[in-house]
Amino acid sequence: MTTKTWRLFWGSGPARIPLQNGVGRYVQQLQRITFKFCKTHGGSLGMREYIEKDLVEFARQNPGVVVYLKPRRHRSPCLKAEYLNGEDDYISTQKHTCEDIQKWVEYLRCRSGYPVEHLINYHHTDHPSIQGPWTPWLHRDHKLNVAQYPNEELSTAHKLEKTATEELMELYEKQKMLTEMEKTS
Amino acid sequence: MVITSPTLLARSRGADKYWKQRRILRLSAHYYGRRQNCYSIAIRSVRRALQYSTLHRRLNKLMYKTLWEGRINASCQELGTTYNDMYATMDQAGIALDRKILQNLAIWEPRSFRALALLTKAKQEEEGLNSLDGPVPAGVVTRGML
């Protein structure tokens, strides 16, 4: 049985990061969010308060997210979020307070579009790493951190094999070292 | 007068089927449809499942071995060797770390893994791996031609 089948059946599986999001750069997965509310009905009071007070701030802090407002008469208020992988999420905010809606919007902002799953992990340790886990930049040269681009040195082609000249130089240096060691001993 | 013939007509018809079937149906509790509740249908699926589990005990080990080897190979290639060279050289150096531990080191203790990789790189030059220098391996007859 594959992990895919297990996930479909049980709705649970090991932790995963789709497309390695966050390993290098983090891309916010929320694409658009729709606030649907009624302008007069009491159940949309919290929603109207949120729109008046906190919506503009939210839109400024998340420039990658498209915000839609849908005032519809005689309809209960809701939040509809759509994600980059095509999935969407619906939350009814009928009779919610402004603070509740703030929290739900924050929840939708931080989600990936993948369905909510119970995480399975058969191992547990309080101290998984002492040196710190591997990152793609761990074994790379530190000068990359302070490099100014465009950079001629870093734009050169990668050398896959040693040239004959380099090998001869290395042999020469090895021989020199050996002769020196013989002399001292 | 005691009538003894009725006792001779008693027959032992076998063990209680209910408990035998219960043992099978307990294993099929998470199956789909009638396969979870009806014994004669469940027994077919359960037998197959048990056969798979016995056969795949061996496959499980092979699966993990290939996974660990792939991980160690990836970390080695970042550091300039390959898995085959590193593992052979560690054997010669007398470092008895298995694949499971090596892949854990590569992920969670990368500096230690790097130290091991660099050690094997230096050692394999000494041993003459992947080069014509170095000592001739034992059991190879060259007759002075190499």
Side-chain angles (χ1 to χ4, degrees), chain A residues 9 129-134 138, chain B residues 30 78 107-112:
Chain A
F9 185 75
S129 182
I130 295 165
Q131 295 169 9
W134 178 88
L138 189 71
Chain B
H30 65 283
E78 204 192 354
I107 297 165
W108 300 110
E109 247 74 53
R111 292 178 184 89
S112 305

Side-chain angles (χ1 to χ4, degrees), chain A residues 82-99:
Chain A
E82 279 159 83
Y83 294 92
L84 292 174
N85 64 352
E87 300 265 357
D88 49 18
D89 199 4
Y90 168 89
I91 292 168
S92 170
T93 51
Q94 171 77 341
K95 292 185 188 173
H96 281 194
T97 58
C98 182
E99 285 77 29

Side-chain angles (χ1 to χ4, degrees), chain B residues 56-70:
Chain B
H56 295 170
R57 263 171 235 149
R58 195 180 138 262
L59 275 182
N60 203 35
K61 295 165 180 55
L62 291 174
M63 188 192 87
Y64 273 111
K65 186 164 170 245
T66 44
L67 176 70
W68 294 337
E69 280 182 10

Side-chain angles (χ1 to χ4, degrees), chain B residues 65 68-70 72-74 76-77 81-89 99 102:
Chain B
K65 186 164 170 245
W68 294 337
E69 280 182 10
I72 298 164
N73 205 6
C76 280
Q77 283 177 7
T81 46
T82 59
Y83 165 78
N84 287 319
D85 290 347
M86 190 189 175
Y87 213 71
T89 321
R99 292 169 189 90
L102 277 175

Side-chain angles (χ1 to χ4, degrees), chain A residues 9-10 128-140 171 174, chain B residues 30-31 75 78-79 105-114 125 133:
Chain A
F9 185 75
W10 291 112
S129 182
I130 295 165
Q131 295 169 9
W134 178 88
T135 62
W137 301 277
L138 189 71
H139 299 304
R140 293 202 190 166
L171 277 170
K174 253 196 219 171
Chain B
H30 65 283
Y31 291 175
S75 332
E78 204 192 354
L79 296 162
L105 287 177
I107 297 165
W108 300 110
E109 247 74 53
R111 292 178 184 89
S112 305
F113 185 84
R114 184 185 178 169
E125 278 189 44
D133 313 321

Side-chain angles (χ1 to χ4, degrees), chain B residues 10-23:
Chain B
R11 284 281 174 272
S12 174
R13 290 307 305 278
D16 194 346
K17 269 193 287 189
Y18 177 79
W19 299 109
K20 272 184 100 171
Q21 292 181 355
R22 205 66 253 137
R23 272 208 323 250

